[in-house]
Every structure is written in structure tokens, then in C-alpha cells.
Amino acid sequence: MDRPARIRLAGMIAATVTCAAVATEASAQDGSIVLNEQLQLGDVIAGQTLNVEDAQDQVTVTTYAQGTYATGAVQNGSVAVTSTQTMSGSARASTVMSLRGDTQGVVNATTQAGGNYLAVGAYDADLDVDTVQILNGTEVRASSAINGGTARLLSGGSVGVSAIGNTTALGGSGSVITGSVDQYASATVRASNYAATQYIPAEAGFTSQALGNAVAVNSDANSGQNLTIGQITTSNLIEADTSANAGNAWNLAARAHAGANQALLANQGGSMVVATDQTNGAYVRAAAVATAYDYGSATTYARGAGNEVSAGNNDIYLQIDNTQFNSGGVDVSASFSGTNGYDAYVGADAVGNSVTGYACSECAGEINATNNQVNQGHVTATAQTTVAGSGRAVITGANAVGNSASFYVTRPTCDTDCH
């Protein structure tokens, strides 16, 4: 009997001016075992400063700082992944842009900072995971700024900022994904996106996202899931802050999303059995601000959640056992201020604990759900809109919920035969 391949992976420490990461990569074969242990003790810092005048084409910027990083994949076989990642330093990524004169091309800027990251994919194969991620450094911070107030972005742009403490991403196609994911975050996580511009005669979006712990699992083409997920956040602050400002903007959007614990799971073609346990003690804040003297369309949206779970199976069977406890406050605000324009959309959503589970109705879907939610923190959502001159439409909404649970059999299209 052939012995399975055995691969042991060790992390490195790296810090550079424009890009810093600790990366480990594995491509596993039939019957493989992957053991990954990574420890990051020092800070990881990435930063860029751009001074550009009258750019004739696109401006594209990427700034990335990551504490530990591991990826793997298996095809036509099976792999068992055991991973422990610990980030004890801080991760910081910053982008500063001075865009003078007329920028003719689209501005695309991405700034990301992360503590621990693990991604594993399975294709016509079985994947078993046992992973632990620990973030106990000082902070994970990502920031972007367009300063000066004179930038003229003639083709618009997309500027995104993301700070995530722990990330586990699992994917499968024609696969069965089993095992457990445990995440612990005690560091401050902050994402900020600021833009001061003069003229944007095109679509421009500015977003920020801050998450303490994040798990994403997606599987399709006759796949199945059987997972246990545990997430604990004890950070002082999880904050996402976006401020997008223009003298004249045709289609301006400012969005911010903050969450302590997030687990998003989707499956198709087989059964889905999930047990989730989330605990949050961090203060969660999301704030989105947009201002424009003259505007065509302006959108401001902010969302904050203490604990969030979404488990959807586009097939016959879903079993979910969910436990959530939130003692941290959730504070969400969205605002727009303009003088003369057309349409303004402002929305703020805040929730302490949220769980959603759904199965496919065309498959005669069945859901077995057990849910236990306790919220002890305050939850606030505020929306503010000011139009000093004339406008056409103003659509606003603010929603605050302590505990939210939705379980339903829905009617998406079943792309594969139901079983």
C-alpha cells in the first residue's frame, strides 16, 4: 500500500515598502496530508505614495500587507489539511494619492491588510480541514487617501480598502468539504477610505470593509459540506470608515461594512450540514459619508454586524445549528450632503446577531435549524440627508435589529439535477 504524500509547510517573515506578505503554497495530490504551521511575530507594513499630474491613461494601485498566507488545492483525489496560523505583530497597508490636474483614465486602487489567510480548493475531490487562526497583535489597518481637493477624475474610478483579521476561504466543485475552522481575533481592525476631489463626470465608488473573523465556503456541481465553525472576537474596535467628497460628481458612491464575525456558506448538488458558534465582544462601527455640491446620483450605504451567518444550499437538504452571542455595541451611520442635484440614496443597517438559512424549493428542499441568539450590546443605525438647494429624489432608510433569524425554502434555479 502506497504511503500518502506528506508535506510540511513553514512560514517566513517579510516586510517591504510596497508589498509585504508571508506566503506558503501547496498543490496536493491523491491522499495527501498537508501540515501548515505559521507564526508571525513582527509587524508587516506596506505603503505607497503617488504624485501624478495630468495622467493620460489609467492609474492602477495595489498595496497589500499580510501576516501569514497559505494556499492549497487538490484535484481528482483527497487532501487533509491541518493548519495553525498565529499573527502576533501588526499588519498595516496605506495608499496616499495626489492626483493633480486631469486624470484621463480610470482610477483603480486597492489597499488590503490582513492577519492570517488560508485558502484551499478541491476539484472532483474530497477536502478535510482542521484549521486554527489566532490574531493577537496590536492592529490590522488599511487606509487610502486622495488628498488636495483638486483631483479631476474624468473617467471615474473604483477605490477599495479592506482590513480583515482572520480569513479562511474554502472552495469545491464536485467535492465534499468536511472539518472544522476556529478563529480568534483580539487585535483592532480598521479600514478607512478618504477622497477629496473636484470633478468626477463618471461613475466613482469608494468602499471600506473591516472584519475580525471571516469564513467563506463555496461549493457546486454535486458537492456537499459538513463543517463546524467557531469564531471569537475580543478586539476593542472593528471599524470601517468611508468619506467620498466632490465638488461636482455625476455618479458617486460611498460604502462601508464592518463586522466582528462573518461566516458565508453556499453549496449546490448535495447535503449541507453546518454548526456555527460566534462570540463577539468588540465595538463594531461602520460609517459612510458622501458630499457633493452638484451631483447626478449619490449613494451612501453603511452596514455593521456583530455576528453574521449565511448558509444556503441550492439543493434538497440543509441542517444548521447556530449559536451567537454579542456583547459589543454596533454603531452604523450613513450621511449625504449636497446642494443641487438629482437623486440621493442613503441607507444604514445595523444588527447584533444575524443568521440566514435557505434551501431550494424546486428540489423539495428541507431545512432542519436550531438557533440560539443572545444580544447584550446596543445596536444603532442612523441615516442623515441634507440637500441645501434643489434635488429630484431622496430615498433613505435606517434599520437596527438586535437578533435576526431567517430560514426559508426559496426558489433559485437548480442548475443541476436535484437529488
Side-chain angles (χ1 to χ4, degrees):
M1 181 176 182
D2 294 335
R3 296 180 61 187
R6 196 172 186 87
I7 306 170
R8 187 173 182 84
L9 310 175
M12 303 182 299
I13 296 177
T16 66
V17 175
T18 60
C19 180
V22 176
T24 308
E25 201 166 314
S27 181
Q29 308 212 353
D30 187 23
S32 295
I33 298 173
V34 176
L35 305 177
N36 178 52
E37 296 181 7
Q38 294 175 308
L39 172 63
Q40 175 69 25
L41 297 175
D43 295 344
V44 180
I45 301 171
Q48 293 195 68
T49 300
L50 275 74
N51 290 294
V52 179
E53 184 169 359
D54 291 330
Q56 299 300 304
D57 207 334
Q58 65 176 328
V59 175
T60 300
V61 188
T62 301
T63 309
Y64 179 70
Q66 182 70 48
T68 70
Y69 181 93
T71 63
V74 60
Q75 184 173 5
N76 298 324
S78 65
V79 65
V81 178
T82 300
S83 176
T84 300
Q85 297 171 303
T86 302
M87 174 61 171
S88 296
S90 294
R92 303 184 186 96
S94 64
T95 303
V96 178
M97 292 174 281
S98 177
L99 305 176
R100 301 184 303 276
D102 292 342
T103 300
Q104 300 288 341
V106 178
V107 176
N108 290 298
T110 301
T111 306
Q112 298 177 327
N116 300 301
Y117 181 90
L118 174 68
V120 185
Y123 307 94
D124 296 317
D126 294 334
L127 169 62
D128 183 74
V129 296
D130 181 1
T131 176
V132 176
Q133 295 178 318
I134 301 170
L135 174 69
N136 55 14
T138 302
E139 67 174 357
V140 174
R141 176 182 290 190
S143 64
S144 175
I146 299 177
N147 295 318
T150 60
R152 295 168 58 85
L153 312 183
L154 301 188
S155 296
S158 176
V159 180
V161 179
S162 175
I164 304 178
N166 294 309
T167 301
T168 296
L170 307 175
S173 180
S175 304
V176 176
I177 302 175
T178 61
S180 64
V181 178
D182 291 297
Q183 297 176 319
Y184 308 88
S186 60
T188 296
V189 180
R190 303 181 68 181
S192 62
N193 192 341
Y194 173 77
T197 66
Q198 182 184 68
Y199 181 48
I200 312 179
E203 182 177 0
F206 300 85
T207 63
S208 64
Q209 175 179 250
L211 299 172
N213 295 310
V215 173
V217 185
N218 290 280
S219 51
D220 59 18
N222 296 320
S223 294
Q225 297 180 18
N226 191 336
L227 292 166
T228 299
I229 298 172
Q231 297 175 311
I232 298 176
T233 298
T234 59
S235 310
N236 291 326
L237 176 66
I238 309 292
E239 181 182 58
D241 191 348
T242 300
S243 179
N245 309 277
N248 186 331
W250 292 13
N251 188 348
L252 180 67
R255 298 180 175 90
H257 174 218
N261 297 310
Q262 182 187 83
L264 306 178
L265 305 98
N267 183 68
Q268 179 176 292
S271 66
M272 187 177 192
V273 179
V274 180
T276 52
D277 191 337
Q278 298 176 321
T279 300
N280 173 51
Y283 173 55
V284 177
R285 177 179 180 270
V289 175
T291 66
Y293 187 88
D294 296 311
Y295 63 95
S297 173
T299 300
T300 307
Y301 180 71
R303 187 178 191 278
N307 298 306
E308 182 177 16
V309 171
S310 176
N313 192 16
N314 193 13
D315 208 87
I316 190 170
Y317 184 72
L318 169 65
Q319 177 179 313
I320 180 170
D321 186 347
N322 179 63
T323 300
Q324 294 173 319
F325 177 80
N326 178 58
S327 59
V330 179
D331 188 356
V332 176
S333 63
S335 68
F336 170 72
S337 178
T339 301
N340 299 308
Y342 288 89
D343 303 326
Y345 307 91
V346 180
D349 292 319
V351 62
N353 297 307
S354 173
V355 59
T356 301
Y358 61 90
C360 175
S361 66
E362 294 183 359
C363 309
E366 176 184 346
I367 295 178
N368 287 326
T370 302
N371 183 47
N372 182 14
Q373 295 173 312
V374 177
N375 180 57
Q376 292 183 346
H378 73 267
V379 179
T380 62
T382 59
Q384 181 176 347
T385 306
T386 301
V387 178
S390 62
R392 182 172 64 183
V394 176
I395 301 173
T396 68
N399 303 285
V401 179
N403 296 301
S404 173
S406 300
F407 302 101
Y408 56 92
V409 177
T410 187
R411 193 178 175 87
T413 301
C414 288
D415 295 328
T416 60
D417 292 336
C418 301
H419 303 288

